[in-house]
Amino acid sequence: CLHECIGFFRSRGASGAMITYLADGGIEGCYRKGVSDIFRRSKLGYFAVKTCYQDPFVMGRDGDFVLSASDALKLTVCNNQSDLAGKEGILQVRVKDRNDKEVSGREIAFTFSERPVQSLGEWKPRFSGSGLYRIEYEVFEQQDAGGCARG
C-alpha cells in the first residue's frame, strides 16, 4: 500500500505530499510509523520511498490496479536523471499470472523527456480469466541491451 501511495504522488509530480504517509500513516490511520525505528534501523517507509525514487520509475498514473477488463493503465515514466533526456527508450509491460506465465504484454518506444513526469498513453491489458495477476515494467535505453532500470 505504501508503494502505491508514494508512486501515485510521484507520478503526479506531487512528491512532497507523501510525507504524511510516512510520518502519520495518512489514510491508513493516525499512528506514527516513521522511516526508522529507535535504533535507526530502516522501516518499510524507507524502502518504499527508495524503490519509488529509482530512476527511471514506471507506474500507472492512477496506480497499478486493474479491476476489470475495461480498465486501462495510464502508463507514466518518472525520471529525474538529466543525462537520459533526449535519449530513445523502450518500455516493456508484462502481465503475468500466479504461475509466472505471461498472459499479456506490450512494448512502447519513446524518447525520455526533460520533464520529470512523462505520460506514455493508456494500455488495456488482456487477461486469461479472473484471478490475481502481476504487472511488471522494464525500461531500456534503445542502444543498451542490458537496460537502465527495472521497476
Side-chain angles (χ1 to χ4, degrees):
C1 185
L2 269 177
H3 187 272
E4 288 291 325
C5 293
I6 294 166
F8 176 82
F9 284 122
R10 181 161 191 214
S11 69
R12 292 188 175 257
S15 297
M18 83 175 126
I19 195 63
T20 58
Y21 287 90
L22 296 176
D24 297 328
I27 59 173
E28 298 173 5
C30 294
Y31 56 93
R32 303 268 179 204
K33 56 181 151 200
V35 292
S36 64
D37 65 13
I38 194 169
F39 301 109
R40 296 184 184 262
R41 292 181 296 216
S42 301
K43 293 173 71 177
L44 179 61
Y46 169 83
F47 294 105
V49 170
K50 186 176 177 181
T51 59
C52 289
Y53 277 83
Q54 293 180 47
D55 281 326
F57 173 73
V58 182
M59 181 172 188
R61 187 167 172 88
D62 296 327
D64 289 331
F65 295 107
V66 179
L67 300 177
S68 72
S70 62
D71 291 345
L73 289 170
K74 296 175 184 168
L75 301 172
T76 306
V77 175
C78 301
N79 178 44
N80 291 327
Q81 291 185 34
S82 59
D83 60 325
L84 288 177
K87 292 186 178 180
E88 299 297 316
I90 297 174
L91 169 64
Q92 292 179 345
V93 186
R94 294 183 192 92
V95 177
K96 295 185 175 183
D97 65 14
R98 290 180 139 191
N99 297 319
D100 208 34
K101 178 185 172 194
E102 186 174 329
V103 296
S104 185
R106 181 167 182 202
E107 192 170 284
I108 301 169
F110 69 99
T111 302
F112 284 100
S113 172
E114 291 183 9
R115 300 177 69 182
V117 178
Q118 176 180 0
S119 175
L120 298 182
E122 291 188 0
W123 176 59
K124 288 185 181 180
R126 293 184 317 269
F127 300 96
S128 57
S130 62
L132 296 175
Y133 295 86
R134 181 176 75 241
I135 301 170
E136 292 181 354
Y137 302 107
E138 284 189 277
V139 179
F140 301 95
E141 286 184 50
Q142 270 193 337
Q143 68 273 14
D144 183 9
C148 56
R150 172 175 277 183

